[in-house]
Amino acid sequence: MGANTSQVSELSDNSSLRSLVGTESISENDPFWNQLISFTFISPTSSGESKLLEEAVIPLAKKLIENNPRTGNFGALVKVFLGRTKELKISTECQDQLFIWQAHNALLMIRCLLKVFIREMSEEELHQQFSYQERAPGYCGETESEDLLEELLSNLVHLIVEVPLLDITYSILFEAVTTLLVFFSYQLFHKDILRDGLIYQHILKGRCLCLTSRLVKTLLYNFIRQEKCPPPATHIFEPKAEGGLLYGLASGVASGLWSVFTLGGVGSKAGIDQEHNPLPLSSQSLLLLLVLANLTDGPDWPNPYRQAITCFRNTQDTSSLPAEHPHTFQINFNSLYTALCEQQRSDQATLLLYTLLHQNANMRTYMLSRTDMDNLVMPILEILYHVEERNSHHVYMALIILLILTEDDAFNRSIHEVVLKNITWYTERSLTEISLGSLLILVVIRTIQFNMTRTRDKYLHTNCLAALANMSAQFRCLHQYAAQRIISLFALLSKKHNKVLEQATHSLRGRQGDNTALPDYAQDLNVIEEVIRMMLEIINSCLCNSLHHNPNLVYALLYKRELFEQFRTHPSFQDIMQNLDTVIGFFSQRLEQAGSDLSVERVQEVIMKGAQALPKDRLKKFPELKFKYVEEDQPEDFFIPYVWSLVFNSGVGLYWNPQGIELFSMDSG
């Protein structure tokens, strides 16, 4: 990096970099800068090499921290970058690759230095690094009042929203987005959530405020477009025979060479990195969007980026924009919906989907009106199905999304009308044809069973059962296997209930006359009985509202009728068991009348005819099961650690987290 350096190992010996971090002041008008930012550099192609670059920059940055108060060279570098970007839009229109390339190189150097600065100093000390000016020995005059930090932040936002995304601008736009993420990374070094930091105030209240909606819209479109890194060019500039100013630039620098190491490296080869994560700008834009959306409101001002995300509208909406939403804008909902469907493999795309469903009423209404909801729901179900391979954050987001969707009765009806064929990722059983609704039930039940044997998280149980409860009144034509799994889950819960009850009884008998405290079996029993009660209510809701549509559930209920006998007289279940007893008794009688040794087909025929004959008034009505997701149930600022865990593990290259924000696991509940 810097004047024809080609390897990481050469950075500390590079004369231009030694001058930058040395004790001599360099005027921003010195030809030195043109030489410094016209460098050739062989890009790292793996995460290990990327970290080597970070470590190579650290001693240089520390030396600059020591000397910059006297030289002001860091501020001069920033001013050189700002000078290059003033005409960046015109350079793009004129295809001036040299100008863009030099601006990119300057910003790359600034970002690498900033990462060390932010690790080593407070925001106030960082601000001082921007304030130091070049000064003559013995100079005691006042420095300029210009706030270079705010100028840089504002410039980066302007660059992102004003420079069009082309092959020649891809890398500098990526650097601009990533540099903003680096600025916000102070959160990684603080256990407390930052609410009034200097950088936060510049972004939330300063000169960037007027660009809020444009920045959010641009970041969303970067996500929507899913542009791949442009392929490296054969060459950018022809080297002159006598060796010119540009030192025979390496191929591909201005067209995405740096994107590989900034990603943090997925594989060990550049080609592998491109194959596994060819969309670095899209990924980084989404991370920055999530960081901005989850900045905490200030004491006297709301987060404008969250406001923009919660109120933007469809481009097809021709009504006038409401005056009470100063940061609203319009975007193509169809394009955004398509991108969301395609990108649910990543945590950040799932978190964006949650954010839009939960907070943007316009987008939620649009999604629920789609006739191809299977394109959105199937990736969410696949996340839950592979729960062993996913982190707990991703699983929770997927479950909460299902819970929000099942709050809508039209959704609960429509998913049973969508017929799917040959679900290849579902391996427990061959599903040649099944409704989306039945598949959803199967996957949620599987998640409950996984949780019972592994994580034992009550919150996860609650979300799963709430989603099933919301759907239960709209169950239609349940697949035979889905009906069996509902009853099998009840059987598992019944077995667990009996085991806990037996342990409690045995412990009580063994401790007669012993005054020591008993194990808390009562609490365990109470929890399992709450879950059993919920399962009985789900089955009852289906029987009361759509019995004639679900002969397979009645069949499974009759086949395992002995499971329910023990709960008939239990005080916690007597009321809800009345309806199940009525249904079991009614159909058992009709099967006895039909004769013995009935085939499966004959039993189903009897059930279908009986469903039409059963008077509805014989079943007791219960209040409708309806559960609504409430974000307030989450811990305060729950999503801020989650978002930063995504950033920390992404390609930003933030390797440090000393005593910083807890990148927690939700497995503990």
Side-chain angles (χ1 to χ4, degrees):
M1 182 192 303
N4 208 27
T5 294
S6 60
Q7 297 181 17
V8 170
S9 59
E10 298 176 8
L11 289 182
S12 58
D13 298 325
N14 181 273
S15 59
S16 295
L17 290 177
R18 288 206 308 269
S19 297
L20 171 67
V21 303
T23 57
E24 297 296 324
S25 296
I26 307 171
S27 168
E28 62 190 270
N29 300 315
D30 195 298
F32 163 84
W33 299 106
N34 198 52
Q35 176 181 327
L36 178 71
I37 62 177
S38 298
F39 57 76
T40 302
F41 188 81
I42 297 175
S43 171
T45 56
S46 70
S47 58
E49 292 177 359
S50 302
K51 195 164 186 178
L52 286 177
L53 174 63
E54 302 287 337
E55 292 170 352
V57 170
I58 291 174
L60 292 168
K62 287 186 175 181
K63 200 164 192 67
L64 182 60
I65 292 172
E66 179 184 342
N67 293 326
N68 191 52
R70 294 184 298 277
T71 66
N73 284 347
F74 179 71
L77 174 61
V78 172
K79 289 179 180 178
V80 168
F81 166 71
L82 295 176
R84 289 294 192 280
T85 58
K86 286 178 181 176
E87 305 297 332
L88 202 56
K89 193 173 182 181
I90 297 175
S91 299
T92 303
E93 294 171 355
C94 300
Q95 297 286 302
D96 186 349
Q97 296 187 42
L98 171 61
F99 206 83
I100 298 169
W101 169 69
Q102 288 186 325
H104 164 270
N105 286 353
L107 182 55
L108 171 64
M109 297 179 73
I110 291 169
R111 177 172 68 83
C112 289
L113 292 169
L114 278 174
K115 280 192 280 188
V116 184
F117 286 6
I118 288 173
R119 188 188 77 162
E120 297 290 329
M121 61 185 70
S122 67
E123 274 192 296
E124 292 75 14
E125 292 169 329
L126 176 69
H127 188 253
Q128 290 177 354
Q129 294 294 329
F130 282 87
S131 304
Y132 296 131
Q133 303 288 326
E134 174 194 354
R135 62 194 70 182
Y139 177 76
C140 299
E142 295 184 1
T143 61
E144 299 175 17
S145 59
E146 172 190 27
D147 190 335
L148 202 56
L149 171 59
E150 184 174 16
E151 180 73 20
L152 177 58
L153 288 169
S154 176
N155 188 279
L156 291 173
V157 174
H158 274 279
L159 193 160
I160 293 168
V161 303
E162 291 178 355
V163 174
L165 176 54
L166 306 170
D167 279 4
I168 61 172
T169 62
Y170 190 100
S171 290
I172 192 167
L173 289 172
F174 175 82
E175 278 301 325
V177 170
T178 306
T179 303
L180 282 178
L181 274 173
V182 169
F183 266 119
F184 285 115
S185 66
Y186 265 111
Q187 184 64 79
L188 285 169
F189 301 91
H190 296 270
K191 290 189 180 220
D192 297 329
I193 303 301
L194 296 181
R195 300 176 188 275
D196 54 358
L198 183 64
I199 295 168
Y200 279 34
Q201 292 195 43
H202 282 321
I203 291 293
L204 293 175
K205 296 172 61 180
R207 291 155 55 184
C208 301
L209 183 62
C210 62
L211 296 173
T212 295
S213 59
R214 291 180 64 189
L215 179 58
V216 171
K217 184 176 183 178
T218 301
L219 295 174
L220 277 173
Y221 268 126
N222 286 348
F223 168 70
I224 289 170
R225 290 177 63 175
Q226 298 290 307
E227 291 284 351
K228 296 183 179 180
C229 282
T234 305
H235 56 268
I236 301 175
F237 304 101
E238 290 288 352
K240 296 182 180 179
E242 65 276 12
L245 173 66
L246 302 177
Y247 299 97
L249 305 181
S251 63
V253 174
S255 60
L257 184 64
W258 294 102
S259 61
V260 179
F261 84 79
T262 357
L263 288 174
V266 178
S268 59
K269 302 288 185 184
I272 295 175
D273 284 347
Q274 291 289 315
E275 178 183 351
H276 283 249
N277 192 352
L279 310 168
L281 179 60
S282 171
S283 301
Q284 298 297 76
S285 295
L286 180 51
L287 287 172
L288 178 58
L289 182 66
L290 292 172
V291 167
L292 291 170
N294 286 281
L295 295 179
T296 309
D297 293 338
D300 57 353
W301 71 86
N303 178 353
Y305 301 96
R306 187 183 299 124
Q307 287 182 320
I309 286 175
T310 59
C311 67
F312 69 78
R313 303 190 305 168
N314 196 351
T315 49
Q316 296 180 351
D317 187 347
T318 57
S319 60
S320 58
L321 297 176
E324 65 270 17
H325 294 304
H327 303 297
T328 192
F329 59 91
Q330 291 181 296
I331 199 167
N332 188 307
F333 277 16
N334 180 61
S335 300
L336 180 54
Y337 178 82
T338 301
L340 287 167
C341 293
E342 293 174 349
Q343 298 300 316
Q344 288 307 304
R345 293 182 302 276
S346 73
D347 288 71
Q348 48 263 42
T350 303
L351 182 52
L352 176 63
L353 174 59
Y354 157 78
T355 302
L356 296 178
L357 270 175
H358 180 54
Q359 298 184 9
N360 190 311
N362 302 320
M363 193 68 197
R364 180 171 62 252
T365 301
Y366 176 83
M367 290 184 191
L368 291 170
S369 69
R370 297 281 302 205
T371 58
D372 60 346
M373 277 297 292
D374 53 305
N375 289 336
L376 187 66
V377 175
M378 286 291 283
I380 298 299
L381 295 183
E382 197 168 351
I383 292 169
L384 294 177
Y385 185 79
H386 296 108
V387 59
E388 301 95 335
E389 304 167 15
R390 302 289 179 176
N391 65 64
S392 55
H393 305 75
H394 208 177
V395 172
Y396 269 103
M397 286 298 97
L399 280 175
I400 293 171
I401 286 168
L402 287 184
L403 179 55
I404 293 172
L405 291 173
T406 59
E407 293 171 13
D408 184 77
D409 286 339
F411 170 84
N412 295 329
R413 286 191 297 270
S414 65
I415 57 175
H416 293 288
E417 298 168 1
V418 178
V419 178
L420 308 168
K421 295 186 178 181
N422 300 317
I423 313 302
T424 56
W425 49 262
Y426 194 96
T427 57
E428 269 90 339
R429 176 167 172 161
S430 176
L431 299 176
T432 55
E433 186 172 290
I434 189 172
S435 71
L436 179 60
S438 290
L439 181 63
L440 195 158
I441 292 167
L442 284 174
V443 173
V444 170
I445 287 176
R446 184 179 184 275
T447 306
I448 293 173
Q449 291 177 323
F450 174 82
N451 185 53
M452 288 176 64
T453 57
R454 302 284 186 89
T455 57
R456 300 181 181 180
D457 188 330
K458 183 180 179 181
Y459 183 74
L460 189 145
H461 264 340
T462 301
N463 276 341
C464 288
L465 292 170
L468 290 176
N470 285 346
M471 296 168 58
S472 59
Q474 306 294 336
F475 283 171
R476 293 290 187 277
C477 303
L478 289 182
H479 190 277
Q480 178 185 7
Y481 187 52
Q484 290 174 6
R485 298 307 295 161
I486 291 173
I487 303 304
S488 296
L489 176 58
F490 185 84
L492 183 63
L493 293 168
S494 175
K495 182 178 180 181
K496 191 173 182 65
H497 176 269
N498 292 339
K499 183 178 180 180
V500 174
L501 191 60
E502 182 182 347
Q503 288 174 335
T505 304
H506 180 74
S507 179
L508 186 62
R509 287 173 180 170
R511 289 172 176 263
Q512 289 181 353
D514 188 348
N515 294 327
T516 58
L518 286 170
D520 196 3
Y521 289 114
Q523 183 178 353
D524 293 343
L525 203 60
N526 183 57
V527 170
I528 194 68
E529 287 183 357
E530 285 180 7
V531 177
I532 289 175
R533 171 78 189 193
M534 179 71 83
M535 282 301 301
L536 288 172
E537 289 181 342
I538 288 169
I539 295 170
N540 177 71
S541 175
C542 176
L543 297 177
C544 290
N545 292 282
S546 54
L547 183 147
H548 57 292
H549 289 301
N550 292 290
N552 285 331
L553 182 62
V554 176
Y555 183 97
L557 194 64
L558 293 172
Y559 189 73
K560 293 287 188 179
R561 70 190 79 175
E562 71 280 358
L563 286 174
F564 301 91
E565 292 179 1
Q566 63 176 308
F567 298 107
R568 284 178 178 168
T569 57
H570 195 292
S572 298
F573 312 120
Q574 276 183 319
D575 57 339
I576 202 80
M577 280 299 303
Q578 291 179 18
N579 282 346
L580 271 70
D581 279 342
T582 298
V583 170
I584 291 172
F586 176 82
F587 284 98
S588 296
Q589 185 179 14
R590 292 184 74 92
L591 289 173
E592 289 174 4
Q593 293 172 354
S596 58
D597 297 327
L598 301 177
S599 66
V600 173
E601 292 76 13
R602 177 57 181 152
V603 171
Q604 289 177 332
E605 182 183 342
V606 172
I607 289 173
M608 292 180 71
K609 289 182 178 179
Q612 303 296 328
L614 177 64
K616 290 186 178 181
D617 57 5
R618 289 185 61 179
L619 299 180
K620 178 183 176 182
K621 292 294 182 183
F622 285 84
E624 181 183 8
L625 291 177
K626 217 61 182 172
F627 294 87
K628 187 176 180 65
Y629 170 71
V630 181
E631 192 174 60
E632 284 70 23
D633 291 342
Q634 304 286 5
E636 183 185 14
D637 294 319
F638 171 83
F639 291 103
I640 294 178
Y642 180 22
V643 171
W644 277 107
S645 72
L646 299 181
V647 176
F648 185 78
N649 292 299
S650 75
V652 184
L654 299 171
Y655 297 106
W656 313 292
N657 186 34
Q659 294 89 43
I661 192 168
E662 295 179 7
L663 307 182
F664 57 86
S665 167
M666 291 185 284
D667 290 335
S668 61

